[in-house]
């Protein structure tokens, strides 16, 4: 058990929240694929494990860690794993997790980006938009 | 006299038709210019919003001014009849151009400082990705086919390719 009280393995049915820090990361229709692209430095996508609590609890997490955000993309862990990406815990901070396993081709960054965009588009197609 | 009158009427109708076409063309150009102008404004707003490193609250690279210039060129190169995309910032400083018809029907293109463009699409259960070279003047043909296949229902260009 982690300090947050959550299990060390992220369950397939767990909701993951990806905070949306730019108003351009979503439209009226959906979360845009770019919102899920990984950090270049960490090579992973930062998420918070969200247990279905009221949105206010999620916003409190965001306020504790981000200077500003407009909402969150909510996606099930199994939808990430269905694309052959993985979801792991990454505490601290509490409840933090990461979507890992993104393609990384150091000799062809554009092919790498294209592969990542295809995966990000699949995640975006499954994500629910929760606006603040 | 009657024949002359008929010829004049015929010419008049031709002139009227031509004038109507000019007006329609001007209206299309006006609409198109307006759309492109709006899109360029949205692109500029995105560049301003994400002008600082760490705009994502983590370590995202600031939007690259050369990527914005390349995206502007791409917008100007889009042929008539193709709707303008939406924009999104990417963590490496690139700009994403997105044509989103529905959750499962979209085309997403990444523009960086490079003349090589990475793209991906979803079309129902079909999906894919690719890389194409952009000369700054005309949209790469395969990429254009891909965009058309998403924005025009029934168009089978990408699937056929």
């Amino acid at each position: 058990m982690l300090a947050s009280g959550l299990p060390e393995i992220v369950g397939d049915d767990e909701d993951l929240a990806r905070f949306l820090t730019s108003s351009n990361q979503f439209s009226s229709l959906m979360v845009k694929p770019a919102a899920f692209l990984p950090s270049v430095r960490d090579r992973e996508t930062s998420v918070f494990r969200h247990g279905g609590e009221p949105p206010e609890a999620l916003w409190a997490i965001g306020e504790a860690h981000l200077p500003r955000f407009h909402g969150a993309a909510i996606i099930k862990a199994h939808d990430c794993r269905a694309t052959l990406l993985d979801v792991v815990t990454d505490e601290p901070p509490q409840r933090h997790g990461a979507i890992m396993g993104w393609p990384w081709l150091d000799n062809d960054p554009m092919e790498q980006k294209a592969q990542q965009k295809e995966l990000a588009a699949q995640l975006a197609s499954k994500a629910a938009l929760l606006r603040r | 006299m009657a024949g002359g009158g008929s010829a004049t009427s015929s010419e008049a109708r031709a002139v009227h038709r031509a004038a109507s076409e000019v007006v329609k063309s001007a209206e299309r150009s006006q609409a198109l210019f307006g759309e492109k102008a709006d899109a360029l404004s949205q692109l500029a707003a995105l560049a301003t919003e994400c002008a600082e490193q760490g705009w994502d609250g983590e370590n995202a690279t600031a939007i690259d001014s050369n990527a914005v210039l390349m995206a502007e060129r791409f917008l100007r190169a889009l042929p008539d009849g193709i709707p303008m995309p939406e924009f999104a910032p990417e963590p490496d400083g690139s700009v994403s151009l997105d044509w989103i018809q529905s959750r499962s029907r979209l085309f997403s293109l990444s523009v960086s400082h490079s003349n090589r463009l990475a793209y991906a699409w979803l079309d129902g259960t079909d999906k894919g990705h690719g890389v194409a070279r952009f000369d700054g003047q005309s949209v790469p043909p395969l990429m254009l086919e891909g965009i058309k296949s998403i924005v025009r229902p029934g168009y089978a260009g990408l699937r056929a390719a």
Side-chain angles (χ1 to χ4, degrees), chain A residues 1-30:
Chain A
M1 196 72 79
L2 298 167
S4 61
L6 293 171
E8 291 189 20
I9 305 294
V10 178
D12 269 351
D13 284 336
E14 281 192 48
D15 282 331
L16 309 170
R18 169 74 169 160
F19 286 108
L20 303 170
T21 54
S22 163
S23 59
N24 287 287
Q25 287 177 309
F26 57 92
S27 67
S28 57
L29 197 61
M30 64 184 287

Side-chain angles (χ1 to χ4, degrees), chain A residues 37-61:
Chain A
L37 287 173
S39 155
V40 175
R41 190 178 71 186
D42 302 331
R43 300 189 173 192
E44 62 187 33
T45 300
S46 173
V47 292
F48 280 87
R49 298 166 75 182
H50 173 53
E53 299 92 342
E56 291 71 25
L58 185 60
W59 303 151
I61 294 173

Side-chain angles (χ1 to χ4, degrees), chain A:
Chain A
M1 196 72 79
L2 298 167
S4 61
L6 293 171
E8 291 189 20
I9 305 294
V10 178
D12 269 351
D13 284 336
E14 281 192 48
D15 282 331
L16 309 170
R18 169 74 169 160
F19 286 108
L20 303 170
T21 54
S22 163
S23 59
N24 287 287
Q25 287 177 309
F26 57 92
S27 67
S28 57
L29 197 61
M30 64 184 287
V31 178
K32 295 178 187 173
F36 285 101
L37 287 173
S39 155
V40 175
R41 190 178 71 186
D42 302 331
R43 300 189 173 192
E44 62 187 33
T45 300
S46 173
V47 292
F48 280 87
R49 298 166 75 182
H50 173 53
E53 299 92 342
E56 291 71 25
L58 185 60
W59 303 151
I61 294 173
E63 286 164 1
H65 299 288
L66 296 166
R68 60 170 187 178
F69 61 97
H70 301 270
I74 309 294
I75 188 167
K76 293 278 187 194
H78 66 72
D79 283 326
C80 299
R81 290 173 175 145
T83 66
L84 302 183
L85 294 169
D86 197 10
V87 183
V88 298
T89 57
D90 188 26
E91 294 190 11
Q94 289 192 5
R95 292 181 166 269
H96 190 249
I99 301 173
M100 303 184 72
W102 294 92
W104 226 270
L105 311 172
D106 289 327
N107 61 344
D108 193 346
M110 283 302 152
E111 174 62 22
Q112 166 191 296
K113 173 60 87 63
Q115 290 183 17
Q116 290 178 353
K117 283 182 79 71
E118 185 181 327
L119 293 169
Q122 291 176 71
L123 298 187
S125 74
K126 298 291 185 184
L129 171 63
L130 193 58
R131 292 190 67 168
R132 197 178 181 192

Side-chain angles (χ1 to χ4, degrees), chain B residues 32-47:
Chain B
L32 192 64
F33 177 78
E35 279 183 14
K36 286 202 177 182
D38 286 348
L40 291 169
S41 295
Q42 289 165 24
L43 180 61
L46 177 145

Side-chain angles (χ1 to χ4, degrees), chain B residues 100-129:
Chain B
I100 300 173
Q101 297 298 105
S102 70
R103 288 177 164 277
S104 59
R105 191 172 167 83
L106 61 89
F107 190 98
S108 184
L109 157 68
S110 182
V111 182
S112 68
H113 58 84
S114 165
N115 64 352
R116 294 180 73 217
L117 308 180
Y119 60 93
W121 75 87
L122 294 183
D123 189 1
T125 55
D126 199 11
K127 59 184 185 296
H129 66 269

Side-chain angles (χ1 to χ4, degrees), chain B residues 20-156:
Chain B
S20 295
E21 281 307 308
V22 168
V23 169
K24 281 180 190 169
S25 175
E27 285 173 350
R28 277 197 299 270
S29 297
Q30 183 65 35
L32 192 64
F33 177 78
E35 279 183 14
K36 286 202 177 182
D38 286 348
L40 291 169
S41 295
Q42 289 165 24
L43 180 61
L46 177 145
T48 301
E49 185 187 40
C50 303
E52 303 272 338
Q53 176 147 1
W55 56 262
D56 63 344
E58 298 177 82
N59 47 47
T61 304
I63 291 297
D64 185 339
S65 57
N66 288 319
V68 174
L69 285 175
M70 192 66 89
E72 284 182 10
R73 283 185 195 153
F74 191 90
L75 290 179
R76 294 182 199 283
L78 276 173
D80 293 0
I82 301 294
M84 291 295 108
E86 299 178 46
F87 305 100
E90 296 189 347
D92 64 355
S94 301
V95 178
S96 184
L97 277 58
D98 300 318
W99 287 264
I100 300 173
Q101 297 298 105
S102 70
R103 288 177 164 277
S104 59
R105 191 172 167 83
L106 61 89
F107 190 98
S108 184
L109 157 68
S110 182
V111 182
S112 68
H113 58 84
S114 165
N115 64 352
R116 294 180 73 217
L117 308 180
Y119 60 93
W121 75 87
L122 294 183
D123 189 1
T125 55
D126 199 11
K127 59 184 185 296
H129 66 269
V131 176
R133 195 172 296 278
F134 174 50
D135 63 6
Q137 301 292 321
S138 54
V139 178
L142 192 56
M143 185 178 285
L144 187 57
E145 291 296 300
I147 295 169
K148 284 179 180 174
S149 76
I150 294 301
V151 301
R152 294 179 182 169
Y155 189 90

